[in-house]
Amino acid sequence: MSKGLSIHNANVSYGRRQIVHDLSLPPLPPGSLTALIGPNGAGKSTLLRAVAGLEKMQGVVRLGDLDLSAMSVAERARRVTYMPQNLPPGLSLSVMESVIAALRVANVDGIPLSGDACLREAFEALQRIGIAHLADQLLSTLSGGQRQLVSLAQLIARRPQVMLLDEPTSALDLNYQLKVMECVRSLVREHNLIAVVVLHDINLAARFADRIAVLRQGRLYASGKADDVLDPLLFAEVYRVQVRIERCSQQSLQVLVDGAV
Ligand SMILES: Nc1ncnc2c1ncn2[C@@H]1O[C@H](COP(=O)(O)OP(=O)(O)OP(=O)(O)O)[C@@H](O)[C@H]1O
């Protein structure tokens, strides 16, 4: 059996309103980064939250031969980490303390790390994201973008098998957008992780994702490699915009929006 993350016939509702409709994704293999794209309200966050176990879902989510929905919350959280779109308000912790707290939560059922090991791992995570200089700063004093970076450091420190990131670059400047996506991609490759990243920036998706899944009105519209999925018809049908698709100097696709349809 594949070791990948697979979703079979996912249905998610809020009350009587169904948001995700019978959605299945072929296994996302270890070492792969999938971008989840689609218009506002398409159900991307809802799907991600359901895969993380935070929304009730009908259907099956498997990680290899493990049925994630049959696991306890703690067991599932050790394998699957989730970074929400809207980060909780900063507590009165320093950046370093918050990453250490995330590490301790991840080790609830595992072998506890020593104080030194915790410090080392937390510092490595901050260095990896490029924010070691913020280690002593209080969370409550950070900008929105800095909080997003700390949240990512908390998540990678936990060494999950699956990372679910909901718009991790939405508050970041151009340089940090590239840094964060490069960091996610290199973590995915080095540790054979599976990452699913919600992105509104299609050009970031085309540049960094191994595959792209497109959601429209809670249904899977298309999935596959950027070259196979991104075409003007998709943008007209899904986003109601007219686009040209070109290549940048790095050879990744660039979507240029000419106007609304
Ligand atoms: N907690 C909730 N209770 C009721 N309805 C909700 C809840 N969260 C989201 N919805 C609704 O579900 C639909 C899908 O929302 P979701 O946040 O999953 O979309 P999205 O694709 O992530 O959108 P965006 O790109 O704007 O973040 C929307 O119509 C939204 O109003």
Side-chain angles (χ1 to χ4, degrees), residues 13-15 17 19-20 38-49 55 85 166-167 198 200 215:
S13 302
Y14 294 115
R17 190 165 160 233
I19 305 296
V20 176
N40 293 129
K44 304 179 296 295
S45 300
T46 302
L47 177 65
L48 221 58
R49 288 175 55 78
E55 299 292 348
Q85 184 175 3
D166 199 347
E167 297 189 39
V198 172
H200 274 299
L215 235 64

Side-chain angles (χ1 to χ4, degrees), residues 112-160:
L113 290 171
S114 69
D116 277 356
C118 260
L119 265 178
R120 199 173 47 245
E121 296 221 356
F123 192 71
E124 271 175 22
L126 293 177
Q127 272 185 318
R128 183 112 206 195
I129 305 287
I131 51 168
H133 60 286
L134 297 177
D136 295 328
Q137 203 161 322
L138 283 178
L139 286 183
S140 53
T141 64
L142 299 179
S143 74
Q146 288 171 330
R147 292 230 335 268
Q148 216 166 26
L149 294 167
V150 174
S151 182
L152 199 61
Q154 292 168 352
L155 196 123
I156 68 166
R158 291 165 56 183
R159 305 254 175 102

Side-chain angles (χ1 to χ4, degrees), residues 64-168:
D65 53 4
L66 300 172
D67 180 353
L68 289 180
S69 35
M71 285 182 184
S72 70
V73 172
E75 224 181 326
R76 188 164 175 157
R78 269 200 294 133
R79 294 183 165 84
V80 180
T81 53
Y82 164 72
M83 176 174 160
Q85 184 175 3
N86 299 311
L87 300 175
L91 305 166
S92 27
L93 290 178
S94 74
V95 165
M96 182 62 130
E97 285 166 343
S98 76
V99 179
I100 289 173
L103 267 167
R104 293 207 191 280
V105 169
N107 275 285
V108 163
D109 286 347
I111 302 158
L113 290 171
S114 69
D116 277 356
C118 260
L119 265 178
R120 199 173 47 245
E121 296 221 356
F123 192 71
E124 271 175 22
L126 293 177
Q127 272 185 318
R128 183 112 206 195
I129 305 287
I131 51 168
H133 60 286
L134 297 177
D136 295 328
Q137 203 161 322
L138 283 178
L139 286 183
S140 53
T141 64
L142 299 179
S143 74
Q146 288 171 330
R147 292 230 335 268
Q148 216 166 26
L149 294 167
V150 174
S151 182
L152 199 61
Q154 292 168 352
L155 196 123
I156 68 166
R158 291 165 56 183
R159 305 254 175 102
Q161 285 172 266
V162 177
M163 292 198 291
L164 306 172
L165 310 177
D166 199 347
E167 297 189 39

Side-chain angles (χ1 to χ4, degrees), residues 6-255:
S6 57
I7 302 173
H8 306 273
N9 307 107
N11 287 282
V12 189
S13 302
Y14 294 115
R16 287 198 190 153
R17 190 165 160 233
Q18 185 163 358
I19 305 296
V20 176
H21 300 262
D22 207 28
L23 189 146
S24 297
L25 271 184
L28 312 178
S32 71
L33 194 166
T34 299
L36 189 56
I37 67 168
N40 293 129
K44 304 179 296 295
S45 300
T46 302
L47 177 65
L48 221 58
R49 288 175 55 78
V51 172
L54 301 169
E55 299 292 348
K56 242 177 151 175
M57 189 192 99
Q58 285 184 315
V60 178
V61 182
R62 289 190 169 281
L63 183 56
D65 53 4
L66 300 172
D67 180 353
L68 289 180
S69 35
M71 285 182 184
S72 70
V73 172
E75 224 181 326
R76 188 164 175 157
R78 269 200 294 133
R79 294 183 165 84
V80 180
T81 53
Y82 164 72
M83 176 174 160
Q85 184 175 3
N86 299 311
L87 300 175
L91 305 166
S92 27
L93 290 178
S94 74
V95 165
M96 182 62 130
E97 285 166 343
S98 76
V99 179
I100 289 173
L103 267 167
R104 293 207 191 280
V105 169
N107 275 285
V108 163
D109 286 347
I111 302 158
L113 290 171
S114 69
D116 277 356
C118 260
L119 265 178
R120 199 173 47 245
E121 296 221 356
F123 192 71
E124 271 175 22
L126 293 177
Q127 272 185 318
R128 183 112 206 195
I129 305 287
I131 51 168
H133 60 286
L134 297 177
D136 295 328
Q137 203 161 322
L138 283 178
L139 286 183
S140 53
T141 64
L142 299 179
S143 74
Q146 288 171 330
R147 292 230 335 268
Q148 216 166 26
L149 294 167
V150 174
S151 182
L152 199 61
Q154 292 168 352
L155 196 123
I156 68 166
R158 291 165 56 183
R159 305 254 175 102
Q161 285 172 266
V162 177
M163 292 198 291
L164 306 172
L165 310 177
D166 199 347
E167 297 189 39
T169 57
S170 62
L172 302 181
D173 66 41
L174 291 173
N175 184 279
Y176 266 119
Q177 287 178 22
L178 290 181
K179 271 196 186 144
V180 160
M181 290 307 296
E182 270 159 15
C183 174
V184 171
R185 188 171 60 182
S186 66
L187 282 166
V188 160
R189 300 277 196 268
E190 272 170 43
H191 299 291
N192 232 12
L193 307 181
I194 299 164
V196 183
V197 185
V198 172
L199 289 170
H200 274 299
D201 185 331
I202 312 290
N203 293 332
L204 275 185
R207 181 159 173 171
F208 289 100
D210 300 299
R211 64 182 69 198
I212 293 182
V214 187
L215 235 64
R216 182 175 66 160
Q217 295 174 359
R219 292 184 163 84
L220 187 67
Y221 175 90
S223 90
K225 293 194 158 86
D227 279 52
D228 299 329
V229 167
L230 300 180
D231 67 20
L233 181 64
L234 174 141
F235 287 95
E237 288 190 350
V238 175
Y239 288 96
R240 290 180 288 124
V241 290
Q242 198 178 356
V243 303
R244 275 172 293 141
I245 297 180
E246 298 185 358
R247 278 190 196 277
C248 74
S249 59
Q250 307 298 306
Q251 294 311 310
S252 70
L253 297 182
Q254 289 284 300
V255 179

